[in-house]
Amino acid sequence: MRHLIPATVAVFIALAAPVAARDFLQQMVEVFTPPTQHAPTPHKPVPVAPRPEPRPAELDAAPAAPDMVLPRPRPEHLGEPEAVPEVAKPAEPVVAAPVAPTLPDKPVVPGAEPQPEPVAPQAAPPEPDRIYQTACPALTTGAVEGKILPPIHDGQCQAQSPLSLTAVSVNGRMVPISGAVTTDCAMATMLPAWMADVDGYVWAKDNTRIKSINVGTSYMCRNRVGGSSTETLSEHGFADALDVTGFALEDGRNINVETGWPGTEEQGSAIVRYAHDAACSKFMTTLGPEANAEHHDHIHVDFGCHGKSCTARLCE
């Protein structure tokens, strides 16, 4: 045993010598080595998640199902239970129509004049359809007196721009017509020239003037009368014809076609026949007492078309 202790010590010394020499060298290196400029980065501690606490055992256990309690039987002397009446569903609310807002009442000031109530704006009435008509130069220049009428649409009888005439300019003065004449612009244009010729003849022959013009039919929706074509629509149906029955003179005489045509000079035979002949040079159709029995009391004039080019004149 004694021999083992020195041997063990020797071995320990032998092993410790190199370790001591290594530590000595390490200390010398640290002494002579200059310190570094940057301090070493300290190590951050790694957070350690806390451990979950143990779950109580009573929470993991499933809840026990409660014991089901059955209702007690109804006593026989009370009978069957009454049926519970059904509750009606509430009706849907009715939405009232919107009411126009009303203006609040204005405060009444003593001694102040009452102010009119505001009037609600009304919708503008629809504009009427435009009527396409033609102005007549004889009316606009004063050759005749009258007014334009609404269009005439009576079956086949048509007149888009009819006129109502009340007087005619004759040699510088207005000569009235016995009755309002409904005619067209063509008749209104030629009538003053015709009457000017007749008035000039009366002045040259009897030294008097035409005081008024007596007329019969102007516009009338009908067929022709007399002759061979009685089924044709008359020019009266187009407001394009006029029947003149005579003239009232300033000397007091009243010349009628019915009595003057077959009558004497005193009855105005020359004046009536001159009026017939003067019309033949101005109108497209002129019919007098010699044309047929239907024209025995008037002179008929119109602007009806005769011939292929509507340039022929009919004078009877």
Side-chain angles (χ1 to χ4, degrees):
M1 186 66 183
R2 292 178 180 179
H3 296 285
L4 293 176
I5 293 173
T8 303
V9 172
V11 172
F12 177 77
I13 293 173
L15 293 175
V19 174
R22 186 182 58 183
D23 292 341
F24 176 78
L25 291 177
Q26 182 66 28
Q27 291 178 359
M28 295 300 293
V29 170
E30 291 178 357
V31 171
F32 291 98
T33 301
T36 58
Q37 298 296 331
H38 299 283
T41 303
H43 295 282
K44 295 182 180 181
V46 178
V48 179
R51 297 180 62 183
E53 297 180 359
R55 183 180 178 86
E58 59 271 11
L59 296 180
D60 294 335
D67 296 336
M68 182 172 293
V69 180
L70 298 178
R72 297 183 356 182
R74 185 180 181 85
E76 296 180 359
H77 67 278
L78 295 179
E80 296 294 331
E82 296 181 359
V84 179
E86 296 183 358
V87 180
K89 296 182 179 180
E92 296 183 358
V94 178
V95 180
V99 180
T102 56
L103 298 176
D105 296 337
K106 295 182 178 180
V108 179
V109 179
E113 296 182 358
Q115 299 295 328
E117 295 294 334
V119 180
Q122 298 181 356
E127 296 183 0
D129 295 337
R130 179 180 174 183
I131 300 176
Y132 293 88
Q133 291 185 301
T134 303
C136 182
L139 184 62
T140 58
T141 59
V144 295
E145 286 184 353
K147 62 181 180 180
I148 190 169
L149 298 176
I152 298 174
H153 299 286
D154 185 12
Q156 291 182 327
C157 300
Q158 304 284 330
Q160 186 63 26
S161 302
L163 303 174
S164 176
L165 306 183
T166 57
V168 178
S169 178
V170 179
N171 294 327
R173 70 190 192 281
M174 278 293 173
V175 176
I177 302 174
S178 61
V181 172
T182 301
T183 186
D184 61 0
C185 187
M187 182 63 64
T189 302
M190 191 58 68
L191 191 58
W194 179 34
M195 290 296 102
D197 286 352
V198 178
D199 181 75
Y201 178 81
V202 172
W203 173 255
K205 181 180 181 299
D206 296 332
N207 196 27
T208 187
R209 295 289 188 181
I210 297 177
K211 183 179 181 180
S212 65
I213 306 168
N214 300 327
V215 297
T217 304
S218 55
Y219 168 77
M220 179 179 288
C221 188
R222 62 173 175 80
N223 290 337
R224 293 178 181 176
V225 295
S228 58
S229 57
T230 57
E231 297 300 325
T232 304
L233 190 66
S234 172
E235 291 298 319
H236 286 283
F238 301 107
D240 194 32
L242 179 63
D243 294 342
V244 177
T245 61
F247 311 97
L249 305 181
E250 291 182 354
D251 62 4
R253 287 183 296 168
N254 194 4
I255 307 299
N256 295 320
V257 174
E258 185 176 10
T259 59
W261 188 274
T264 62
E265 285 288 332
E266 187 63 23
Q267 293 174 323
S269 176
I271 298 175
V272 171
R273 290 179 180 271
Y274 180 85
H276 174 272
D277 294 343
C280 290
S281 63
K282 291 178 170 56
F283 299 94
M284 305 309 296
T285 305
T286 303
L287 302 175
E290 294 182 359
N292 49 58
E294 284 76 12
H295 295 85
H296 70 281
D297 60 349
H298 65 273
I299 299 174
H300 170 94
V301 293
D302 67 47
F303 281 95
C305 179
H306 302 289
K308 293 183 179 180
S309 60
C310 293
T311 56
R313 297 179 186 272
L314 178 63
C315 179
E316 296 181 355

